[in-house]
Amino acid sequence: MKAVKLKIGGNTFAGENFSSPALSLQSLVFGLFTFTFLLYSCGGDDLKKVSSIAANKVTLTKDRTYGVEIIYSDSAKVKAKGYAPILDKVTPSAGAAYSEMPNGVKIYFLDDFLKNKGTITSNYAINKEVEKITIFRKNVVVVTDNMTFTTEELTWDENKRLYTSPAGTVTTKDGNVLNGTSFSAPQDFSTYSITMPSGQGYVDNGKLPQ
């Protein structure tokens, strides 16, 4: 009386004390038939789903750099400088490359004399290079000479030279506080607009406080 082991897909199934070689062979044939039937029964759509998932799997290549200085120039003039503790350059096997700043970033706006005229800080940022879009997320704070804007998400569209946010709070230099939606501002933050403002503020002839 021998023990029989059958290895299928890396798993070993053991049986002991078969009463006869004929019974062992019968059990083996029945086991193989059952295994084949189970494979067949879970075929068709299920196997197509597995194949589809495997085909759509995306592989990411990530290069990490520490202590990165970010410089933005326009028409050969430096318009902004920034610093990110960590920058991850991510290259997917399918799709466009992008850069992530998982530990946040701080951007300084510069005038023509390279003097600081405002800042953006956030706990996270992502730059989509092909689309030329940068998205700041988590505790986003914009500080300029005439106002402070706080939000959880702010998008900079380099092509449009425009900042937008779904919602946030504007605090003016006079202490007015306005909560609203659909915030937008040009990239120098010289002006801004916000929809459905509410809070502590003074409106003069329909004009938002600056």
Side-chain angles (χ1 to χ4, degrees):
M1 296 182 184
K2 296 182 179 180
V4 179
K5 292 185 178 181
L6 174 64
K7 193 172 184 181
I8 301 175
N11 296 316
T12 301
F13 302 91
E16 295 182 354
N17 299 324
F18 290 106
S19 59
S20 68
L23 182 58
S24 300
L25 181 59
Q26 182 180 4
S27 300
L28 177 59
V29 171
F30 178 76
L32 287 174
F33 175 80
T34 304
F35 182 74
T36 304
F37 176 77
L38 288 174
L39 281 180
Y40 182 80
S41 64
C42 71
D45 292 339
D46 290 335
L47 292 179
K48 288 179 181 178
K49 290 178 182 178
V50 173
S51 299
S52 177
I53 292 172
N56 292 329
K57 186 177 180 180
V58 176
T59 303
L60 301 178
T61 301
K62 183 182 291 187
D63 294 321
R64 172 162 288 189
T65 307
Y66 296 89
V68 178
E69 183 181 43
I70 302 164
I71 298 177
Y72 170 69
S73 60
D74 186 11
S75 301
K77 291 184 178 180
V78 176
K79 297 295 185 179
K81 284 187 177 183
Y83 173 79
I86 296 175
L87 187 142
D88 291 331
K89 176 82 171 182
V90 183
T91 306
S93 58
Y98 58 91
S99 298
E100 279 187 310
M101 288 151 271
N103 283 21
V105 65
K106 185 165 188 175
I107 305 293
Y108 297 87
F109 305 119
L110 305 176
D111 62 16
D112 292 338
F113 302 99
L114 300 182
K115 291 184 179 180
N116 178 31
K117 62 177 185 178
T119 60
I120 295 179
T121 57
S122 68
N123 291 352
Y124 170 88
I126 180 171
N127 173 249
K128 300 180 180 181
E129 300 172 18
V130 175
E131 299 175 56
K132 292 189 176 182
I133 288 177
T134 302
I135 303 173
F136 304 89
R137 293 193 180 113
K138 300 179 182 179
N139 298 319
V140 185
V141 180
V142 180
V143 179
T144 68
D145 290 338
N146 56 9
M147 65 93 180
T148 297
F149 178 66
T150 58
T151 182
E152 286 301 300
E153 181 172 313
L154 180 70
T155 299
W156 175 47
D157 189 322
E158 185 178 346
N159 292 320
K160 296 179 179 179
R161 300 185 178 186
L162 185 69
Y163 284 92
T164 58
S165 175
T169 301
V170 173
T171 303
T172 70
K173 62 182 179 181
D174 296 328
N176 297 308
V177 179
L178 297 174
N179 301 305
T181 61
S182 301
F183 174 90
S184 65
Q187 66 181 20
D188 62 358
F189 284 96
S190 55
T191 60
Y192 68 90
S193 66
I194 191 168
T195 303
M196 299 178 64
S198 64
Q200 301 176 3
Y202 302 94
V203 178
D204 184 14
N205 293 326
K207 184 180 179 181
L208 290 171
Q210 299 290 327

